[in-house]
Amino acid sequence: MRKKQILLLKVGVVIWLCMVYALFIHKPATSSNIQISQTINQQLDKLEEELNGQSQFYNGLLEKLRILRRHQETHMSSDSLAEGLTSQDNSKGSTVQAGPILPVLLIACNREAAVRRSLDLLLKYRPSQDRFPIIVSQDCGHRPTREAIESYGDKVVLIQQPDLSDIEVPLKERKFKGYFLIARHYKWALNQVFQKYNHEAVIIVEDDLDVAPDFFEYFSATYPVLQSDPTLWCVSAWNDNGKANLVDVKNGSTILYRTDFFPGLGWMMTKELWDELGPKWPRSYWDDWVRAPEQRADRACIRPEVSRTRTFGKKGVSNGLFYEKYLKQIHLNDVSVQFSKMNLSYLLKEQYDPVFERQVQSSQVVTLNDVRSDRLAKGNTYRIIYHTKDNYKKITKALGLMDDFKAGVPRTGYKGVITFFYGGLRIFLSPGNNWKGYNPSWS
Ligand SMILES: *[C@@H]1O[C@H](CO)[C@@H](O)[C@H](O)[C@H]1NC(C)=O
Ligand SMILES: *[C@@H]1O[C@H](CO)[C@@H](O)[C@H](O)[C@H]1NC(C)=O
């Protein structure tokens, strides 16, 4: 792409030189210098217009060719729902190379080394540039960061948030200005992805995430599930309780869940969702806004047992203590699971809910002390029941689980239940059977 533009530019410069030469040679001294410069200006404008037109033409052509190729590939592997969910039956061509285009949007600002680290890993594991174009959106106008991104050449697309003006922040929220800038950036970048580039879905990451080897495979395989279940609104690569001692590291890499809690941190959404959220996008704190009942509207996300992203730290807006205590200890999945060869229809609500409820109900009810005492048989599932917010906090703190709520929903919760793995035991931390739904006043 860039080569073509440079070529066009070179051609333009040559034409321009020829014109200037011709003007000076063939226009005798009778024309005044003013007339000459006017003519040159007119010609230059015309040339610029033509070059722009040609560049647009080639861009359009390239896009058409890409779409053609995509159609050809999806024809071979068929992405229709039934087969998409169970593509193991489709022995030919059902690799992660084929399928709908899922761009990765990397949100960047002024951290040059972090952007490099994120991009290096994404590029290392990306199975196909055509299926997973990486769009790096840079805010902040930081030159070294921009140059770092540009150094990846054609492997990534750089877009730059144009509005670098100061942002109006209420006086008492001054120290949270970063959150306002981030919300503005997200809105602009997502509009680019969906309105300018016309993609049908996007995987969003920030410049502080390491990704797992099967990051792309995970999103590729769960995309048909997301598309076909209106009670789902995102797929996230993140497990909030994904510390090594709280997940089944040895045998849990294939396990996926539904969760009512929006995890973020490497997540996928569809254009339909952006059409819904984009117009009312908030000026700040976008992730908590997304978690509010008005936005979530009872919808769930898919999340893995073992995280497919891990954050390597964030300067500025995030809380350092929180990072040390939880985020830093997330275990990043290190084996490649071939999700696209698995039947993931168990994640659809009508299949998932009855199985999940049966599992919770049939688990032996135990106490916190039982779990910590090492006297329970491994291989079974157990249930700890909580009744109050304080009760919940006490248990989660004791086990090293995250203890907070957003809009009343506990992290990783589904129907009020937290699922985790502790000392070789599968445990459901669950409300009583008369549970009436989340209480938004729990925080
Ligand atoms: C591993 O997980 C699978 C299914 O998730 C289960 O059937 C199997 O028993 C597990 N093996 C061990 C050793 O826990
Ligand atoms: C996928 O799994 C579901 C049960 O979760 C089952 O009903 C369906 O038949 C399976 N599809 C294939 C092709 O195995």
Side-chain angles (χ1 to χ4, degrees):
M1 193 70 245
R2 194 163 296 140
K3 274 189 201 137
K4 259 183 211 146
Q5 277 166 350
I6 289 168
L7 186 68
L8 281 175
L9 197 68
K10 280 184 185 159
V11 172
V13 169
V14 171
I15 295 172
W16 180 74
L17 284 174
C18 289
M19 270 178 4
V20 173
Y21 179 76
L23 276 169
F24 276 99
I25 294 298
H26 297 294
K27 289 270 166 140
T30 52
S31 305
S32 74
N33 282 344
I34 293 173
Q35 274 174 321
I36 291 176
S37 81
Q38 273 176 348
T39 319
I40 292 177
N41 278 342
Q42 280 167 4
Q43 298 288 337
L44 272 178
D45 286 346
K46 216 168 137 196
L47 184 64
E48 193 184 341
E49 218 171 86
E50 262 171 37
L51 284 176
N52 279 340
Q54 284 189 20
S55 154
Q56 268 172 21
F57 169 78
Y58 283 118
N59 274 334
L61 194 63
L62 197 69
E63 195 52 36
K64 272 184 203 146
L65 285 173
R66 286 216 168 106
I67 289 170
L68 262 179
R69 176 163 55 184
R70 169 155 62 116
H71 274 253
Q72 204 184 14
E73 283 170 353
T74 46
H75 261 273
M76 288 193 301
S77 78
S78 179
D79 63 345
S80 75
L81 174 63
E83 292 166 57
L85 289 177
T86 58
S87 45
Q88 77 270 35
D89 301 335
N90 238 340
S91 47
K92 271 249 171 97
S94 72
T95 66
V96 74
Q97 264 94 20
I101 293 180
L102 296 174
V104 174
L105 173 65
L106 171 60
I107 299 287
C109 173
N110 58 5
R111 302 200 308 152
E112 184 193 342
V115 162
R116 282 189 187 280
R117 176 165 168 178
S118 305
L119 277 178
D120 285 345
L121 220 48
L122 282 167
L123 289 171
K124 177 176 172 190
Y125 296 135
R126 179 167 72 172
S128 153
Q129 176 161 356
D130 292 320
R131 268 210 75 192
F132 304 103
I134 295 174
I135 301 169
V136 187
S137 181
Q138 194 206 355
D139 197 358
C140 316
H142 187 246
R143 209 178 98 191
T145 303
R146 190 197 73 219
E147 286 169 355
I149 300 163
E150 283 172 343
S151 74
Y152 289 85
D154 290 346
K155 293 191 204 121
V156 307
V157 177
L158 169 64
I159 59 177
Q160 287 174 281
Q161 201 278 113
D163 181 5
L164 299 181
S165 66
D166 202 19
I167 200 162
E168 209 179 295
V169 179
L171 205 56
K172 61 182 194 323
E173 293 174 80
R174 270 294 154 76
K175 60 177 176 178
F176 302 121
K177 186 166 155 185
Y179 292 102
F180 286 76
L181 295 170
I182 288 173
R184 174 170 79 181
H185 186 190
Y186 263 78
K187 179 167 187 172
W188 178 83
L190 287 165
N191 276 334
Q192 295 292 301
V193 167
F194 290 120
Q195 282 157 23
K196 177 158 178 232
Y197 293 98
N198 241 330
H199 288 298
E200 58 184 71
V202 67
I203 301 163
I204 301 158
V205 294
E206 291 190 14
D207 65 351
D208 61 347
L209 288 181
D210 287 336
V211 300
D214 53 2
F215 176 85
F216 292 95
E217 172 88 30
Y218 171 63
F219 284 109
S220 177
T222 48
Y223 181 52
V225 186
L226 177 64
Q227 275 182 306
S228 60
D229 185 344
T231 67
L232 285 172
W233 70 329
C234 98
V235 175
S236 170
W238 179 258
N239 176 1
D240 273 301
N241 285 320
K243 294 199 274 192
N245 64 328
L246 293 173
V247 297
D248 188 355
V249 171
K250 279 209 196 84
N251 193 33
S253 287
T254 59
I255 305 174
L256 305 179
Y257 299 92
R258 293 173 68 99
T259 175
D260 296 320
F261 190 91
F262 172 80
L265 291 164
W267 60 288
M268 172 166 66
M269 75 163 149
T270 62
K271 180 180 191 313
E272 290 74 58
L273 183 60
W274 183 246
D275 287 345
E276 177 192 322
L277 299 182
K280 54 172 182 167
W281 195 248
R283 291 191 64 233
S284 64
Y285 321 114
W286 69 265
D287 46 354
D288 284 344
W289 174 84
V290 158
R291 290 170 181 139
E294 307 84 67
Q295 274 67 249
R296 188 170 77 80
D298 270 331
R299 289 172 290 189
C301 296
I302 295 173
R303 60 120 182 146
E305 163 94 357
V306 186
S307 261
R308 262 62 184 186
T309 50
R310 179 181 56 201
T311 168
F312 52 82
K314 188 173 235 162
K315 266 192 297 187
V317 292
S318 211
N319 175 335
L321 204 67
F322 189 70
Y323 173 75
E324 289 297 320
K325 199 165 167 198
Y326 299 105
L327 304 185
K328 199 175 135 184
Q329 299 181 39
I330 295 294
H331 177 76
L332 183 65
N333 179 62
D334 54 11
V335 297
S336 268
V337 175
Q338 294 204 290
F339 286 110
S340 59
K341 299 218 163 101
M342 295 166 60
N343 181 356
L344 298 183
S345 65
Y346 72 90
L347 290 164
L348 299 169
K349 186 179 175 65
E350 62 268 30
Q351 292 184 37
Y352 189 91
D353 284 6
V355 175
F356 180 74
E357 272 154 29
R358 215 179 307 132
Q359 251 187 331
V360 175
Q361 290 301 329
S362 66
S363 297
Q364 184 191 339
V365 175
V366 295
T367 65
L368 174 61
N369 282 339
D370 292 332
V371 167
R372 291 202 290 185
S373 69
D374 204 24
R375 59 177 167 243
L376 300 173
K378 315 249 188 255
N380 296 335
T381 62
Y382 299 94
R383 180 181 181 196
I384 307 177
I385 296 181
Y386 69 91
H387 293 287
T388 64
K389 185 179 101 176
D390 289 344
N391 194 206
Y392 178 87
K393 294 226 170 210
K394 183 179 153 243
I395 297 166
T396 48
K397 275 205 181 86
L399 297 175
L401 295 154
M402 288 181 99
D403 63 355
D404 62 337
F405 299 81
K406 300 280 186 185
V409 184
R411 289 184 190 265
T412 75
Y414 190 61
K415 297 177 183 296
V417 181
I418 303 297
T419 306
F420 60 95
F421 198 69
Y422 189 91
L425 312 171
R426 172 63 58 197
I427 297 165
F428 301 106
L429 175 55
S430 145
N433 289 341
N434 59 353
W435 187 69
K436 298 281 187 305
Y438 296 107
N439 181 344
S441 76
W442 287 22
S443 63

